[in-house]
Amino acid sequence: MRKLIFFLPALLLSSSLLAQDKPADSSHDMDHMQHGGFMQGGMHHAVAKGVKIEQKIDGHTIVVRIGPMNLPANTSHMKMPQPPDLEWQIPIDGWLLAYSPKLVDANGNTIPGRVLHHSAFWNENRADFLCPNKEEHIFGAGGELTNWAEIPGYGYRVQMGDTIRVETMVHNPTDTSYENVYLEVTIPYQQAADDAKRKNVYPTWIDVKSCGNSGYDLPAGNSKQNGTVIVKYNGALLGVGGHMHDYAKQLTLEDVTRKETVASLDAKVDDHGELLSMPTVLFLDRGGYKFAAGDVLKISATYDNTTGKLLHDGAMGIVVGYFVPLDDSAMAALRRKPAAHHMAGMSHDH
Ligand SMILES: [Cu+2]
């Protein structure tokens, strides 16, 4: 089974270091829909019935809960009925600070993360700052259930009523069936009305498919895919992680305009090529990696697919980070009304 690594943030561990810097986040793409079900990777998925999204909020934390989902043993994501896209309405005016995902059953017992293929949160009220044809992808999780920790002094700004579209795909590669499974994401927040003000961070997804759909066919053997994107804002990248799939070798990000390598991320895989982890690189010691408006960024993903065959839609190459613009007011233009075309059952490729 392909494993998805949404790395981000270990960034966020060293709190004192971060005090004078900025943060980053992430994004994917959406795909085709069809009546009564939906298409992902060219495959038709049945829709899981009765899956809802709900939230609980106290003075500090929102818990978003998606479920229940029934996951029979040894079921691929193609065969598993999948939740439709769900919408979460933001209940505060302020900042989301961190994301901590877990899987539980109806009694609160922990379920192994491996049964989560991926989940992606998209803000329908904002366009991505690098690829305005896409919504802002504010959070992603794969089977590793990586926490996106808080960066002191920074946050992702939301407004009451913002609509977050939540895509979730599940599978069950284990020999155990699980019933009534919930994905719970715990999100600490701060109200804008509070005294302490935060700097805004913008999720930064730099994709080898540029501003298109992220997934691509992975040829047998060694391969390299490149993409470019132009930064339209002055600002700084606080740090980056990477998102790849199995048989990954390396992700590199270059600032072509400056003729500099921004980051080189070596994938860690096991003996069979299964992806174990992607590293994180921080630019804190210099106050973030500075970009100037107009800088051309080039991203490259290298793979070594040892299966001997082409893997349809088997690869992705995305550098993910947190961007802090020099002039935050310039980002206001990225707000928009949610597109009216969304319907349950729409999802992205994985
Ligand atoms: Cu992926």
Side-chain angles (χ1 to χ4, degrees), residues 4 6 28 243-245 316 350:
L4 311 172
F6 282 93
H28 255 128
H243 176 70
M244 298 184 79
H245 290 185
M316 286 192 190
H350 233 66

Side-chain angles (χ1 to χ4, degrees), residues 61-64 97-103 121 139-141 145-150 183-188:
T61 303
I62 303 162
V63 178
V64 176
L97 308 182
Y99 306 86
S100 177
K102 66 174 178 173
L103 292 173
F121 286 35
F139 170 67
L145 297 176
T146 304
N147 287 341
W148 291 19
E150 177 178 348
L183 170 63
E184 273 187 10
V185 184
T186 300
I187 305 169

Side-chain angles (χ1 to χ4, degrees), residues 2-323:
R2 284 181 278 164
K3 193 188 261 181
L4 311 172
I5 305 273
F6 282 93
F7 54 70
L8 225 217
L11 265 187
L12 326 185
L13 300 179
S14 40
S15 35
S16 54
L17 272 177
L18 294 162
Q20 67 272 55
D21 277 328
K22 14 264 172 141
D25 203 299
S26 67
S27 190
H28 255 128
D29 45 20
M30 56 186 136
D31 238 35
H32 350 279
M33 59 186 156
Q34 279 216 332
H35 303 293
F38 54 98
M39 300 291 292
Q40 295 198 60
M43 302 296 288
H44 185 85
H45 290 259
V47 177
K49 300 239 184 340
V51 182
K52 293 191 170 55
I53 189 163
E54 54 186 25
Q55 62 180 317
K56 272 188 232 152
I57 179 167
D58 63 20
H60 307 281
T61 303
I62 303 162
V63 178
V64 176
R65 190 169 149 99
I66 295 132
M69 297 173 279
N70 291 323
L71 311 177
N74 302 306
T75 306
S76 72
H77 73 90
M78 302 298 191
K79 294 211 180 102
M80 189 76 80
Q82 298 294 347
D85 280 14
L86 298 167
E87 290 190 333
W88 167 41
Q89 307 292 335
I90 296 284
I92 59 147
D93 194 48
W95 292 272
L96 306 183
L97 308 182
Y99 306 86
S100 177
K102 66 174 178 173
L103 292 173
V104 295
D105 66 16
N107 299 318
N109 301 310
T110 301
I111 302 291
R114 314 175 54 190
V115 302
L116 179 65
H117 193 279
H118 67 269
S119 184
F121 286 35
W122 304 82
N123 190 341
E124 297 187 344
N125 291 87
R126 292 189 49 85
D128 180 86
F129 80 97
L130 290 174
C131 296
N133 59 309
K134 294 186 174 188
E135 294 165 343
E136 206 167 53
H137 187 179
I138 69 171
F139 170 67
E144 307 72 30
L145 297 176
T146 304
N147 287 341
W148 291 19
E150 177 178 348
I151 305 179
Y154 295 88
Y156 175 70
R157 189 72 164 85
V158 289
Q159 296 182 12
M160 178 97 65
D162 276 358
T163 301
I164 309 298
R165 183 169 54 86
V166 177
E167 294 175 349
T168 303
M169 189 185 284
V170 283
H171 63 162
N172 189 350
T174 77
D175 294 330
T176 307
S177 293
Y178 297 100
E179 295 198 337
N180 296 319
V181 174
Y182 294 83
L183 170 63
E184 273 187 10
V185 184
T186 300
I187 305 169
Y189 67 89
Q190 185 188 318
Q191 303 271 12
D194 288 358
D195 284 344
K197 294 305 174 210
R198 288 176 180 269
K199 282 194 168 180
N200 298 337
V201 295
Y202 295 84
T204 307
W205 288 58
I206 306 165
D207 198 309
V208 294
K209 299 300 285 181
S210 300
C211 291
N213 287 338
S214 300
Y216 62 96
D217 292 346
L218 185 64
N222 287 297
S223 64
K224 185 173 189 177
Q225 179 85 34
N226 300 313
T228 58
V229 70
I230 297 171
V231 185
K232 301 174 198 89
Y233 306 88
N234 296 310
L237 198 59
L238 181 63
V240 293
H243 176 70
M244 298 184 79
H245 290 185
D246 287 346
Y247 313 109
K249 297 284 280 185
Q250 190 184 56
L251 269 180
T252 56
L253 178 65
E254 299 163 63
D255 187 322
V256 175
T257 308
R258 293 187 180 195
K259 300 184 173 63
E260 276 181 9
T261 298
V262 179
S264 225
L265 308 172
D266 291 322
K268 198 182 278 178
V269 296
D270 70 10
D271 293 346
H272 312 287
E274 189 172 316
L275 184 61
L276 299 175
S277 65
M278 294 292 297
T280 302
V281 176
L282 305 178
F283 311 115
L284 304 173
D285 48 343
R286 49 167 128 157
Y289 188 96
K290 304 278 195 309
F291 288 142
D295 276 9
V296 177
L297 305 181
K298 179 181 172 192
I299 178 171
S300 309
T302 51
Y303 276 86
D304 183 9
N305 170 6
T306 54
T307 65
K309 56 186 186 195
L310 181 142
L311 297 175
H312 177 64
D313 205 31
M316 286 192 190
I318 309 171
V319 165
V320 181
Y322 279 135
F323 181 74

